[in-house]
Each structure stands twice: as C-alpha cells, then as structure tokens.
C-alpha cells in the first residue's frame, strides 16, 4: 500500500537535535505529498490518540531548540500487548500507515513492536548516551559532550583557584562514551567508566600523587553515572590525599541546550532517510551512521549488536594526562 500518512514521535529521554529530526521527517514527507501527524509524548500519544496534523510551518523555528516540540515520555503501558494494540488501533483509525520514532533503545524496541504488529515503523537513534550499537553517533551526543565540556571547564576554573580536586559525574546510563570523550576534552586526571573495572588506589590516588610530584595542584576526575558514587569518592580522595575535593553531578543540564551543528545535520539526514525508507515500503529498520555515511539496519539485528568500547582511546587518555 502506498504511503499516505505518517506519524512522527519522540520517546524516552529527550536529546538536543530531536527537533531537527522531527522537522526533516515532516518536511520530507510533506514535500513528497504524504500527510504528517505529530504525536505528543511518545507512545503515550499513540495510545491516547493525542496527535495533530502537521503542515510545513508546524516545524518552523525549532531546528535550533533543545528538547522536543513533540514532548516525550517513557510509556510503561506500551510494554503490554494491550497497549500496543491500542496504539495500532489509533494509527489505523487515523489512516496512518507509517511511523517514525526518534529515541533510545527502549524507543527502538517500541518501533519493533509496532512493526511486528503490521504498522511500518522506522527508528532514529536519539540519545545523549550514544549507546546504540549500530550507530557511531546518536542524535544529541555531540551537543551533550560539548555541554559537559563547558561545565567541567568552569569547574576547572574554581578547582584551579582553590588547588582542589573536582569529581564530576556525567550521564550515560550504563555506558562510558560520554565520560571518556568529555574526560579527554577537559584533560581529566582520571576517567572512570563502567566498561573498565575500577581500582580507587590505581586509578585515582596513584595518579594524583604522581602528577602532584611534577607540580600539579588541581585535579579533575570524570566519573560516568554507570559507576556513580561521586560524593563518597570526593570524601575518600580528600581523606587519602589531603587535597580538598568537591563532587558535582552535572545532571539534566546535560540534556538541554541548542543542538550543535553536527547534531542538527545528523538529525536532518536521519529524518530524511527514515521517510525515504517508509516510502520504499521498508519497516522495522533503524537509521544509523557509520564512517560518516547514513545507512540502516533491521532493528532486531541492531539491538543485538555490541558497541565496542574504545580501550585504545581510554589508555591514551590516561597516558597523556600525567
Ligand atoms: O538516556 C538518557 C539519560 O539522560 C541517561 O543518561 C540517564 O541515565 C537517564 O536518561 C535519566 O533519565 P530521566 O530523565 O528519566 O531521569
């Protein structure tokens, strides 16, 4: 059946650049004569029939904004068969025969459920965690890295003035990609990620003592939220070294802000590609990036893939921060 009307939704944690993806998907479809409905608050909106028709101007003035104009949510009802059936019925009742879902791995599972129940669906990876294995860069990751870098640069100013150690927790759920890259960008003495077993003496204290001997007086320790415990870590560091230590959890500030060029362009390409796939009659695909190209994978295959952690980069980070 020819594609006549699509729905676009954002789901899970918001990520800067989601708006650019919504815009691109909506405009691509409208340009090709396909009607578009925006869905509010992720799968909740599909279940509760909370959607609205979009025109070319519905997505004006959003490309530079963080967050998502469609709002977002995590929807437990959609994890049930009844919830999925309700969503499918809402799609059918509204004449929707294609859905674009922008979100993280939970959202992609939802896209898989819709596809399995006969509703053609394409996923776009949007998460600051960059933890979608098939995709080198997810929407929001670049902006979040830059936001974190800016925040930690500020922490460094004050840590430097007081000869202190600043212990900073960055997001990433169970993944350390954000922490590793931010840690390198801010010249952290130690970067603690869930992918590498943590040894307090070896990974923090020895490094601080070693660098102190060559004159270093302030320190940045970047900790991924998947490891956590920055308050206790700061206390322990202070006790072990006598260096005043302060903990900061960057928190949700990392998810906000105007998207970077990279996120806007990536999101635009992904939104465009997602609609092209629906037009080609494809379903259950996730759009991805590899080596600066846009491609797509079967969602099931994509969710089974494992993203390698860059141990070379991790080792390099520690070799150069002495
Ligand atoms: O997945 C994005 C993310 O920001 C994670 O880094 C974090 O663990 C989680 O979402 C926080 O979720 P919430 O917004 O529900 O507190």
């Amino acid at each position: 059946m020819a594609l006549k009307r699509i729905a676009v939704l954002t789901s899970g944690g918001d990520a800067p650049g989601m708006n650019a993806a919504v815009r691109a998907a909506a405009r691509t479809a409208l340009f090709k004569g396909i009607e578009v409905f925006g869905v509010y608050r992720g799968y909740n909106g599909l279940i509760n029939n909370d959607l609205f028709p979009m025109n070319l101007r519905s997505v004006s003035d959003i490309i530079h904004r963080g967050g998502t104009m469609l709002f977002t949510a995590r929807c437990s009802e959609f994890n049930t068969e009844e919830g999925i059936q309700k969503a499918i019925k809402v799609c059918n009742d509204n004449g929707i025969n294609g859905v674009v879902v922008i979100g993280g791995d939970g959202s992609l599972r939802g896209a898989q459920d819709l596809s399995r129940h006969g509703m053609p669906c394409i996923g776009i990876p949007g998460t600051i965690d960059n933890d979608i294995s098939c995709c080198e860069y997810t929407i929001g990751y670049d902006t979040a890295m830059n936001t974190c870098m800016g925040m930690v640069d500020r922490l460094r100013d004050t840590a430097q003035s007081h000869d202190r150690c600043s212990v900073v927790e960055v997001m990433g759920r169970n993944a350390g990609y954000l922490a590793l890259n931010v840690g390198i960008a801010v010249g952290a003495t130690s970067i603690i990620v869930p992918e590498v077993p943590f040894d307090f003496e070896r990974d923090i204290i020895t490094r601080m003592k070693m660098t102190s001997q060559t004159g270093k007086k302030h320190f940045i320790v970047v900790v991924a939220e998947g490891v956590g415990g920055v308050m206790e870590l700061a206390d322990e560091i202070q006790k072990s070294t006598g260096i005043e230590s302060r903990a900061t959890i960057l928190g949700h500030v990392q998810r906000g802000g105007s998207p970077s060029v990279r996120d806007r362009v990536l999101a635009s390409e992904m939104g465009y590609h997602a609609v092209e796939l629906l037009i080609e009659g494809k379903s259950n695909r996730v759009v991805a990036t590899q080596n600066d190209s846009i491609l797509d994978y079967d969602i099931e295959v994509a969710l089974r893939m494992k993203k390698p952690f860059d141990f070379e980069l991790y080792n390099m980070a520690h070799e150069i921060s002495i």
Side-chain angles (χ1 to χ4, degrees), residues 8-319:
V8 183
L9 63 90
T10 50
S11 154
D14 64 341
M18 279 183 164
N19 278 329
V22 172
R23 172 181 177 271
R27 292 255 172 95
T28 305
L30 292 166
F31 179 76
K32 294 178 197 255
I34 297 157
E35 291 176 50
V36 182
F37 272 46
V39 181
Y40 284 129
R41 296 180 178 82
Y43 293 106
N44 286 305
L46 271 194
I47 290 175
N48 301 315
N49 200 14
D50 194 9
L51 22 94
F52 64 101
M54 291 180 121
N55 61 38
L56 288 171
R57 298 280 69 80
S58 307
V59 289
S60 292
D61 203 26
I62 61 166
I63 196 163
H64 60 301
R65 295 188 199 281
T68 159
M69 68 162 286
L70 294 177
F71 304 91
T72 186
R74 298 192 169 93
C75 176
S76 49
E77 194 181 351
F78 195 74
N79 295 332
T80 64
E81 181 58 29
E82 207 193 338
I84 299 169
Q85 292 293 353
K86 275 195 204 168
I88 295 283
K89 182 167 179 332
V90 168
C91 287
N92 289 334
D93 290 351
N94 284 286
I96 290 161
N97 63 349
V99 180
V100 174
V101 170
I102 305 155
D105 54 356
S107 312
L108 296 181
R109 282 196 188 88
Q112 197 178 20
D113 289 330
L114 285 178
S115 304
R116 276 196 192 126
H117 285 74
M119 179 54 55
C121 193
I122 305 294
I124 296 179
T127 165
I128 65 161
D129 301 337
N130 201 32
D131 59 351
I132 306 293
S133 304
C134 66
C135 195
E136 262 170 17
Y137 261 76
T138 56
I139 295 171
Y141 177 51
D142 185 60
T143 306
M145 284 193 292
N146 282 292
T147 303
C148 291
M149 182 183 73
M151 297 291 166
V152 183
D153 283 348
R154 285 166 172 77
L155 288 172
R156 177 190 282 281
D157 288 344
T158 167
Q160 182 266 327
S161 305
H162 287 264
D163 292 331
R164 279 178 178 162
C165 173
S166 187
V167 185
V168 197
E169 180 186 302
V170 304
M171 279 186 170
R173 205 177 286 272
N174 300 316
Y177 311 111
L178 194 55
L180 174 58
N181 285 275
V182 170
I184 292 170
V186 301
T189 304
S190 299
I191 304 169
I192 315 297
V193 291
E195 291 84 353
V196 182
F198 170 52
D199 182 301
F200 178 65
E201 280 299 319
R202 180 197 63 204
D203 298 334
I204 298 184
I205 301 305
T206 309
R207 296 187 64 76
M208 283 177 68
K209 287 187 176 153
M210 191 175 75
T211 51
S212 291
Q213 279 163 16
T214 53
K216 194 168 174 59
K217 290 196 166 37
H218 66 276
F219 307 85
I220 305 285
V221 175
V222 172
V223 182
E225 75 164 326
V227 177
V230 286
M231 301 296 172
E232 296 76 18
L233 262 185
D235 282 350
E236 289 300 312
I237 291 170
Q238 187 160 318
K239 267 189 220 135
S240 292
T241 61
I243 294 166
E244 265 196 313
S245 300
R246 295 287 186 269
T248 306
I249 298 175
L250 291 184
H252 286 78
V253 69
Q254 297 164 89
R255 286 231 300 257
S258 180
S260 65
V261 171
R262 182 164 193 166
D263 277 331
R264 294 183 201 193
V265 174
L266 177 71
S268 300
E269 288 184 288
M270 285 182 158
Y272 176 83
H273 192 78
V275 174
E276 292 271 282
L277 288 171
L278 284 175
I279 292 170
E280 285 165 24
K282 305 254 175 73
S283 178
N284 201 40
R285 309 289 296 175
V286 52
V287 183
T289 47
Q290 292 286 348
N291 305 319
D292 286 332
S293 315
I294 301 285
L295 60 167
D296 52 272
Y297 292 90
D298 178 86
I299 296 183
E300 194 160 335
V301 173
L303 290 174
R304 274 205 310 265
M305 288 164 84
K306 290 267 170 288
K307 191 171 212 164
F309 185 75
D310 195 341
F311 289 98
E312 231 172 88
L313 195 64
Y314 174 85
N315 290 332
M316 178 214 80
H318 285 104
E319 265 187 49

